[in-house]
């Protein structure tokens, strides 16, 4: 054991203790409970019985909505993380330019992220409401449309709206991550590139992108986790209706547990979701970090 | 270092385990503490039970003053959270002593509840409307008592009906004619008819139409019969209304509250709603001249109102040192709650209908409109909540309706559900 500067070896652990306790109580312990429950028989009222083996997992995979929900979850994560990263990156590039009112623009940008998701989703619900939604009344008053449009005419469109709201609230996070990366890039790099005759795209791909990659990686991994686990937007806007066609895994397992009272399969799905997340973020981290090491 | 981490982690886990265990209620010697969960019916519930909404005092203080030796640990929980809370408490072996909720069959079937006869004084048990008590019986045992009820009826906008010059529809055919007349008159600005097939209450829509067509959740023997031809015909009729544009456009996501808002704003002409609708509309600032009528039924079939009732039940607690004293305390809680002096205030506060005879007189005296509703309540049908598969049926018919809204064949959907129930 190395003693640094005569300090006791346990001092760092003492400072870590509060975090360790918090994480154990609110993260590790519940995860262990869910793992245990997913292998137990659970009654409709929630009474935990004996060991059930993989029965809950088999039941979960055979649920009629399972396929739809997995496909929805895939598109939800891909579209929200992908598009918010792309748009967030572009906005960050703009925000990095010097212009009047830049500070105000930056503070406005953080609003969607600072507001609670339930409020966001409810507000969007009102915006796109057919009967007295503000989108319709604005368009009607401007004379752009003659009759109110039903913005939620099918479940596919409703799901697209949910993704759009997801993207809208995720953009600020990406923007600020990227912006912090952009600001750390030395301006002289661009200047010398310009002198060497590099155009906008050249500078983007040869200087900007490689140098903001660490920030982008962090924001992407965190976003995959946040978006996959995001509950409020879908629950507030459609509750998965009609018939789970707009559910993602998280809202579906909630409905399964507390509405359908299929508690065993719901716990099994939670574990499946956890493992998928571990896998996705694991693969992403490993590939990105390997590239960074190579770079 | 690893060892230290392990020690820290295990200490943390151990302390968590301790926190998770049920903390016994600290009471004075001989005192009995009852854990009570009450659902939040509206903004007044909390005030009445815990604040100062009961003539300056509250239920808990008044009860404890009148019943020395019994303490109440009473929580008012929102309807959104109550299932989660109760399930979690049951899973942690920490069920409440007294629970106010709508469902009871799962708890009874799993042996978690005390039979009502164990704790409810006989005089009080005889005071409940018998048709209500019948809804809480499994295997000839009463497992819960009703705390209040509400009844559904057709509400219509009288001014609109006069303007258009139509009569209140009583049959499905008349309903379609009325809808068409309203559409023509207002040029589509007003929805004639409201349908809620959401996850919130799609089972109510199922009841409104199937009961009005001689069908329903169960057959005459009380066996599940969700896929009867009458049911499929009824739901197809409702889907037809949506298709013809007579209803709100998104029945799968527009809840009854959305519809009530539209009705209050004068954008919806007819709605099937509970007896509290006038209060709701007034609270929303709406000024609608409304009247009630029977829910329209198919030609030659009888109309049937939908009754919704919530319940109070007591959980077993094998760890209680003196079971008789505990039962007696629960009985005292009920006697106090249903005492007309307290109960009338409770029921009328949120505009509900009573569940006991002794409250009727005082309620009618305070508000004569109650009388008509009590009559409606007398002819109500209830959801078959005493059957163990009710959760599955409720979610099943909602999913069937929602699938049918997106183009699936309702008969096939209901057949599949019936097959699941049989299997």
């Amino acid at each position: 054991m190395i003693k640094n500067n005569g300090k006791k070896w346990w001092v760092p652990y003492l400072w870590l203790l509060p975090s360790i306790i918090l994480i154990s109580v609110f993260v590790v312990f519940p995860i262990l409970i869910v793992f245990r429950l997913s292998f137990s028989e659970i009654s409709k009222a929630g009474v935990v019985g004996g060991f059930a083996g993989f029965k809950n997992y088999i039941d979960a995979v055979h649920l009629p909505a399972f396929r739809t929900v997995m496909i929805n979850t895939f598109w939800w994560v891909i579209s929200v993380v992908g598009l918010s990263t792309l748009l967030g990156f572009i906005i960050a590039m703009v925000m990095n330019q010097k212009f009047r009112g830049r500070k105000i623009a930056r503070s406005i940008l953080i609003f969607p992220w600072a507001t609670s998701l339930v409020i966001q989703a409810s507000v969007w619900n009102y915006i796109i409401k057919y009967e007295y939604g503000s989108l319709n009344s604005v368009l009607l008053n401007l004379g752009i449309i003659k009759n109110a449009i039903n913005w939620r005419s099918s479940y596919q469109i409703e799901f697209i709206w949910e993704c759009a709201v997801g993207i809208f609230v995720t953009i600020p996070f990406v923007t600020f991550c990227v912006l912090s990366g952009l600001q750390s890039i030395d301006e002289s790099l661009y200047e010398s590139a310009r002198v060497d005759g590099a155009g906008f795209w050249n500078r983007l791909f040869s200087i900007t992108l490689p140098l903001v990659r660490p920030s982008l990686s962090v924001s992407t991994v965190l976003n995959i986790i946040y978006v996959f686990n995001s509950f409020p937007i879908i629950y507030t806007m459609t509750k998965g209706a009609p018939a789970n066609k707009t559910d993602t895994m998280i809202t579906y397992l909630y409905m399964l547990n507390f509405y359908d009272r299929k508690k065993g399969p719901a716990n099994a799905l939670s574990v499946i979701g956890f493992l998928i997340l571990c896998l996705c973020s694991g693969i992403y981290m490993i590939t990105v970090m390997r590239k960074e090491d190579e770079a | 270092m690893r060892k230290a981490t392990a020690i820290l982690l295990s200490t943390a886990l151990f302390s968590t385990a301790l926190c998770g265990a049920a903390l016994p209620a600290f009471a004075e010697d001989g005192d009995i503490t009852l854990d009570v969960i009450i659902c939040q019916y509206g903004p007044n519930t909390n005030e009445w039970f815990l604040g100062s909404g009961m003539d300056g005092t509250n239920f808990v203080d008044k009860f404890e003053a009148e019943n020395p030796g019994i303490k109440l640990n009473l929580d008012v929980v929102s309807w959104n959270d109550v299932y989660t809370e109760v399930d979690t408490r049951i899973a942690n072996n920490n069920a409440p002593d007294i629970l106010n909720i709508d469902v009871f069959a799962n708890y009874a079937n799993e042996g978690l509840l005390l039979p009502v006869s164990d704790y409810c004084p006989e005089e009080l048990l005889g005071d409940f409307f018998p048709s209500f008590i019948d809804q809480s019986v499994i295997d000839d045992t009463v497992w819960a008592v009703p705390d209040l009820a509400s009844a559904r009826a057709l509400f219509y906008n009288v001014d609109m009906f006069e303007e258009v010059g139509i009569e209140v529809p009583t049959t499905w055919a008349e309903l379609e004619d009325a809808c068409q007349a309203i559409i023509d008159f207002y040029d589509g600005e007003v929805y004639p008819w409201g349908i809620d097939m959401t996850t919130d209450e799609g089972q109510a829509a199922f009841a409104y139409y199937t009961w009005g067509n001689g069908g329903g959740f169960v057959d005459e023997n009380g066996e599940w019969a969700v896929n009867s031809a009458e049911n499929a015909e009824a739901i197809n009729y409702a889907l037809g209304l949506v298709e013809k544009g007579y209803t709100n456009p998104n029945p799968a996501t527009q809840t009854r509250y959305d519809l009530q808002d539209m009705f209050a704003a004068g954008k919806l002409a007819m709605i099937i709603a509970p007896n509290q609708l006038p209060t709701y509309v007034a609270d929303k600032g709406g000024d609608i001249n409304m009247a009630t009528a029977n829910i329209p039924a198919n030609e030659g079939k009888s109309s049937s109102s939908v009754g919704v009732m919530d319940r109070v039940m007591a959980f077993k607690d094998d760890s209680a040192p003196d079971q008789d004293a505990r039962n007696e305390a629960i009985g005292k809680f009920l006697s106090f709650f249903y005492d007309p002096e307290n109960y009338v205030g409770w029921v009328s506060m949120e505009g509900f209908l009573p569940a006991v005879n002794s409250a009727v007189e005082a309620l009618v005296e305070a508000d004569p409109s109650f009388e008509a509703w009590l009559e409606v309540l007398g002819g109500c049908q209830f959801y078959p909540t005493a059957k163990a598969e009710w959760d599955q049926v409720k979610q099943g018919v909602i999913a069937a309706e929602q699938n049918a809204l997106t183009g699936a064949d309702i008969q096939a959907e209901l057949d599949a559900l019936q097959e699941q129930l049989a299997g």
Side-chain angles (χ1 to χ4, degrees):
Chain A
M1 197 107 4
I2 302 160
K3 285 188 182 171
N4 47 355
N5 305 334
K7 276 183 191 153
K8 296 270 190 285
W9 62 267
W10 45 263
V11 170
Y13 294 96
L14 188 66
W15 299 121
L16 283 173
L17 188 64
S19 316
I20 291 174
I21 291 179
L22 272 178
I23 291 173
S24 310
V25 172
F26 293 109
V27 180
V28 179
F29 191 59
I31 289 176
L32 292 179
I33 290 181
V34 171
F35 266 86
R36 186 176 73 97
L37 288 177
S38 73
F39 289 104
S40 309
E41 288 170 2
I42 315 170
S43 77
K44 280 183 175 179
V47 180
V48 182
F51 182 69
F54 281 95
K55 186 178 175 300
N56 290 332
Y57 288 86
I58 295 166
D59 288 352
V61 175
H62 286 108
L63 288 164
F66 182 78
R67 223 180 96 88
T68 317
V69 168
M70 293 306 276
I71 293 171
N72 283 352
T73 313
F74 176 78
W75 285 117
W76 166 251
V77 174
I78 294 290
S79 66
V80 175
V81 175
L83 286 176
S84 64
T85 304
L86 179 69
L87 294 172
F89 186 83
I90 295 171
I91 295 175
M93 299 273 287
V94 175
M95 289 291 164
N96 201 36
Q97 308 299 314
K98 288 198 174 71
F99 59 90
R100 269 173 72 103
R102 181 167 77 155
K103 277 190 179 156
I104 296 171
R106 281 186 187 175
S107 358
I108 290 174
L109 192 65
I110 207 154
F111 282 171
W113 196 53
T115 323
S116 110
L117 286 180
V118 178
I119 296 174
Q120 289 273 354
S122 309
V123 167
W124 277 97
N125 248 348
Y126 277 105
I127 292 176
I128 61 172
K129 228 181 192 142
Y130 178 42
E131 291 78 20
Y132 18 72
S134 36
L135 183 57
N136 269 338
S137 44
V138 167
L139 293 179
L140 281 171
N141 287 333
L142 289 176
I144 295 171
I145 52 172
K146 288 247 159 56
N147 294 308
I149 295 172
N150 183 4
W151 297 105
R152 325 176 48 155
S153 52
S154 74
Y155 67 88
Q156 291 94 336
I157 295 176
E158 291 197 282
F159 190 65
I160 292 173
W161 272 112
E162 287 170 335
C163 292
V165 175
I167 293 166
F168 179 73
V169 299
T170 314
I171 285 175
F173 177 69
V174 181
T175 307
F176 280 91
C177 279
V178 175
L179 201 51
S180 69
L182 286 175
Q183 284 172 340
S184 64
I185 300 176
D186 196 340
E187 189 60 29
S188 61
L189 285 174
Y190 290 113
E191 273 165 28
S192 49
R194 247 181 240 122
V195 171
D196 291 341
F200 171 79
W201 296 109
N202 243 329
R203 275 176 279 145
L204 176 68
F205 285 107
S206 310
I207 303 175
T208 315
L209 270 180
L211 288 175
V212 294
R213 198 158 68 194
S215 329
L216 265 181
S217 323
V218 171
S219 81
T220 308
V221 171
L222 288 178
N223 266 337
I224 290 175
I225 298 171
Y226 290 155
V227 173
F228 187 97
N229 281 334
S230 178
F231 178 83
I233 295 173
I234 287 175
Y235 191 76
T236 311
M237 292 184 76
T238 60
K239 276 198 178 170
N244 309 111
K245 287 193 174 70
T246 59
D247 261 328
T248 63
M249 202 157 163
I250 295 298
T251 51
Y252 181 57
L253 69 89
Y254 178 86
M255 302 295 268
L256 207 56
N257 197 10
F258 295 110
Y259 281 66
D260 297 2
R261 300 189 157 258
K262 290 180 179 148
K263 292 174 182 296
N267 277 293
L269 264 187
S270 310
V271 172
I272 294 175
F274 177 76
L275 296 177
I276 291 176
L277 268 185
C278 287
L279 195 73
C280 289
S281 8
I283 291 173
Y284 188 83
M285 296 276 269
I286 289 167
T287 44
V288 166
M289 282 181 176
R290 190 175 290 158
K291 272 190 191 156
E292 267 164 25
D293 286 346
E294 284 166 7
Chain B
M1 267 204 257
R2 281 222 179 111
K3 201 171 159 194
T5 322
I7 291 172
L8 283 175
L9 266 176
S10 50
T11 322
L13 280 180
F14 182 65
S15 49
T16 325
L18 277 182
C19 294
L23 291 173
F26 292 102
E28 286 168 35
D29 280 345
D31 275 6
I32 289 180
T33 302
L34 295 177
D35 283 348
V36 185
I37 292 183
I38 299 287
C39 287
Q40 185 162 21
Y41 287 95
N44 303 324
T45 311
N46 212 36
E47 272 299 290
W48 197 77
F49 274 103
L50 297 164
S52 55
M54 202 182 188
D55 300 328
T57 175
N58 62 50
F59 184 92
V60 171
D61 286 350
K62 199 175 162 194
F63 175 85
E64 287 179 354
E66 286 185 24
N67 294 280
I70 307 174
K71 295 262 174 280
L72 295 183
N73 179 19
L74 188 145
D75 277 329
V76 174
V77 182
S78 100
W79 277 105
N80 281 334
D81 303 328
V82 70
Y83 304 100
T84 323
E85 164 134 5
V86 173
D87 286 0
T88 315
R89 287 183 67 154
I90 290 173
N92 288 327
N93 227 346
N94 184 26
D97 295 298
I98 299 172
L99 172 65
N100 161 221
I101 205 166
D102 50 350
V103 291
F104 78 103
N106 289 330
Y107 307 134
N109 287 331
E110 288 174 25
L112 301 172
L113 296 183
L114 280 174
V116 166
S117 55
D118 281 12
Y119 54 84
C120 183
E122 243 171 67
E123 192 190 345
L124 173 60
L125 196 53
D127 193 20
F128 291 105
F129 300 144
S131 63
F132 281 25
I133 286 288
D134 289 348
Q135 305 299 320
S136 304
V137 174
I138 298 176
D139 295 338
D140 297 327
T141 307
V142 185
W143 295 102
V145 293
D147 70 321
L148 45 74
S150 73
R152 302 274 164 100
L154 172 66
F155 285 85
Y156 62 97
N157 187 318
V158 178
D159 295 343
M160 277 186 194
F161 271 63
E162 279 172 6
E163 233 173 15
V164 181
I166 45 173
E167 294 290 313
V168 184
T170 56
T171 67
W172 285 357
E174 286 173 21
L175 174 61
E176 287 201 57
D177 293 343
C179 288
Q180 189 58 52
I182 293 168
I183 289 276
D184 292 344
F185 188 89
Y186 292 104
D187 201 20
E189 288 291 304
V190 168
Y191 301 130
W193 185 250
I195 288 189
D196 160 12
M197 289 184 170
T198 63
T199 318
D200 278 18
E201 238 190 28
Q203 80 279 10
F206 191 83
Y208 301 149
Y209 299 97
T210 60
W211 286 348
N213 196 34
F217 299 97
V218 292
D219 61 18
E220 62 272 20
N221 302 320
E223 301 296 330
W224 293 118
V226 290
N227 63 338
S228 68
E230 289 87 354
N231 288 357
E233 186 193 6
I235 302 305
N236 272 328
Y237 170 77
L239 295 168
L241 296 178
V242 180
E243 221 163 82
K244 287 171 191 155
Y246 293 157
T247 67
N248 48 306
N250 301 325
T253 47
Q254 289 173 314
T255 66
R256 175 160 57 79
Y257 293 98
D258 292 324
L259 300 180
Q260 291 181 180
D261 290 347
M262 290 180 207
F263 187 78
K267 291 218 68 159
L268 179 64
M270 289 178 273
I271 180 175
I272 302 174
N275 52 295
Q276 301 97 320
L277 184 68
T279 325
Y280 182 90
V281 169
D283 285 351
K284 286 272 167 180
D287 182 20
I288 301 292
N289 179 11
M290 64 179 102
T292 57
N294 285 333
I295 298 171
N298 201 357
E299 192 80 52
K301 300 281 165 47
S302 60
S303 166
S304 163
S305 176
V306 177
V308 179
M309 130 185 22
D310 297 326
R311 299 177 165 90
V312 178
M313 59 207 77
F315 278 78
K316 284 181 186 162
D317 179 8
D318 294 331
S319 68
D322 186 345
Q323 295 289 337
D324 289 341
R326 178 173 178 269
N327 289 351
E328 196 188 331
I330 297 172
K332 282 183 175 165
F333 176 90
L334 291 184
S335 301
F336 184 80
F337 178 72
Y338 289 103
D339 184 336
E341 191 187 315
N342 304 321
Y343 184 70
V344 169
W346 159 247
V347 172
S348 50
M349 183 174 68
E350 305 279 13
F352 282 100
L353 300 173
V356 287
N357 279 307
S358 57
V360 169
E361 200 179 322
L363 278 167
V364 172
E365 204 171 292
D367 180 0
S369 75
F370 258 113
E371 194 145 25
W373 280 107
L374 288 171
E375 217 162 277
V376 174
L377 199 58
C380 270
Q381 289 201 57
F382 291 92
Y383 300 133
T385 43
K387 290 177 78 71
E389 300 84 4
W390 169 242
D391 293 317
Q392 198 187 339
V393 171
K394 178 174 144 185
Q395 301 309 330
V397 297
I398 295 172
E401 287 169 352
Q402 295 189 346
N403 276 325
L405 277 171
T406 57
D409 175 40
I410 187 69
Q411 183 70 60
E413 291 284 321
L414 295 176
D415 284 344
L417 176 60
Q418 182 73 24
E419 205 171 302
Q420 276 176 37
L421 292 166

